[in-house]
Amino acid sequence: MANTKELANDVVWDLFDNYDVVKYIKSKSPALFSAEKLVLYTNTLKQTRKFTDEEILNGKADLDIEGFIKAEEARYRSIKKQEEERKCLPIKTKKEKISPTFFKRLILTTLAGASIVSIVSIHSKSLKDNEKVQDDVSKYIGMLASDSNTEDYLHKRNIVAQNTYTKEGDMNNAIIYNLPNIALDIIKVTSNNPNLFDLCILDTYFNLNYNRLDNMDKIMEHLKINILASSPDSPLQSKAEICTSFLDYALNICLKRNLINYSDQEYQQILEVIAKYKVVGYNALNENDKNTISILVSKAQGLLVTLGKEQIDELEEKASKERGI
């Protein structure tokens, strides 16, 4: 039966604004989702997971979408099974014994449904917690990079936001990143706090909103040049050798944290894909190679949250001292 329920205005506008992305997600499972759910998940991908339209349409969010589809399918199966079980139980005016087998099945089905709800609730809370950690990390790093009493400082803008400009006179409102300045801000924050270097790199990458890999590779180049040109006594000198491509850096830090093992086939696969990427660029890679990069980047984002939780107190304390609190 067709759903004749009228869509709310905000849903209609979201459908209009995100038409290509919504259509792409729907193509993965055409009959499963309502318009409201498609819009809700599109907003989650873009606002919470920080995927751009281009990244979603190029398949970088496919793992997330697949997980979303599986969770929705599990929820649908649970509901459908409960409905079928209810149909099997005839309505009687007098008490009769219920089959022990049916009773056990009914309990298991109810528990399964409750488990799914609990898992979704826990997952939702976890996403919100992780999002808050990333947001706080960005704010505190931004404060350490900016001068007190400036707009950037007072509004706690992250490093990327501080160095993002609209091209003057461009009718399309083209966005430009000042990549050399972003590198200098990272150095400013980490020169006296080298232990924050990894956190700054990851935070910067995930705050870039377009051409992330290409822009971050250029930032890494600027970092290396400036670090090598700094004092030989600088604690960042040891970081220069890892400032190659962002994917090299991500692989290196994931190895150190045992998120990837040298002995695994995954490691060799990632190495091969990074080598291809350096030659042909991201857009020329096939879907399997792009998926390999997506998995590595997802691990890096998980590491950003882990490092954020480990270092958030230190960051907050340093930012507070900068404010004179």
Side-chain angles (χ1 to χ4, degrees), residues 216-263:
M216 195 66 204
D217 285 349
K218 291 173 182 174
I219 291 171
M220 300 294 271
E221 288 177 12
H222 289 297
L223 275 172
K224 186 169 187 175
I225 291 170
N226 283 282
I227 289 173
L228 291 174
S230 65
S231 167
D233 298 328
S234 168
L236 294 182
Q237 283 292 335
S238 62
K239 305 291 185 183
E241 63 184 28
I242 64 172
C243 292
T244 53
S245 76
F246 175 76
L247 293 179
D248 283 326
Y249 162 81
L251 178 58
N252 181 274
I253 193 173
C254 285
L255 284 166
K256 287 182 178 179
R257 284 277 177 155
N258 296 317
L259 298 176
I260 297 172
N261 296 315
Y262 286 102
S263 58

Side-chain angles (χ1 to χ4, degrees), residues 190-204:
T190 59
S191 288
N192 295 321
N193 307 289
N195 58 312
L196 297 178
F197 188 82
D198 292 333
L199 194 57
C200 280
I201 297 293
L202 293 171
D203 176 67
T204 299

Side-chain angles (χ1 to χ4, degrees), residues 48 122-134:
T48 302
I122 292 170
H123 181 64
S124 177
K125 183 178 184 303
S126 177
L127 281 176
K128 288 180 180 178
D129 290 345
N130 291 347
E131 184 180 0
K132 185 178 186 309
V133 169
Q134 292 181 63

Side-chain angles (χ1 to χ4, degrees), residues 156-188:
K156 302 178 182 179
R157 294 182 181 128
N158 65 63
I159 286 178
V160 173
Q162 292 180 35
N163 294 286
T164 300
Y165 309 95
T166 302
K167 187 176 180 181
E168 188 175 351
D170 193 317
M171 297 299 291
N172 296 318
N173 295 320
I175 300 299
I176 298 174
Y177 294 133
N178 189 330
L179 303 179
N181 270 10
I182 291 175
L184 289 174
D185 279 345
I186 292 173
I187 290 174
K188 179 178 180 180

Side-chain angles (χ1 to χ4, degrees), residues 140-153:
Y140 293 139
I141 288 176
M143 291 172 70
L144 291 172
S146 54
D147 296 326
S148 59
N149 298 322
T150 62
E151 288 293 310
D152 289 332
Y153 183 89

Side-chain angles (χ1 to χ4, degrees), residues 75-89 102 106 109-110:
R75 191 187 73 85
Y76 176 76
R77 285 195 300 269
S78 176
I79 293 172
K80 188 174 178 64
K81 191 171 183 180
Q82 289 182 54
E83 288 176 348
E84 290 173 352
E85 295 289 4
R86 285 197 292 269
K87 289 178 183 177
C88 291
L89 183 61
F102 173 77
L106 184 63
T109 301
T110 303

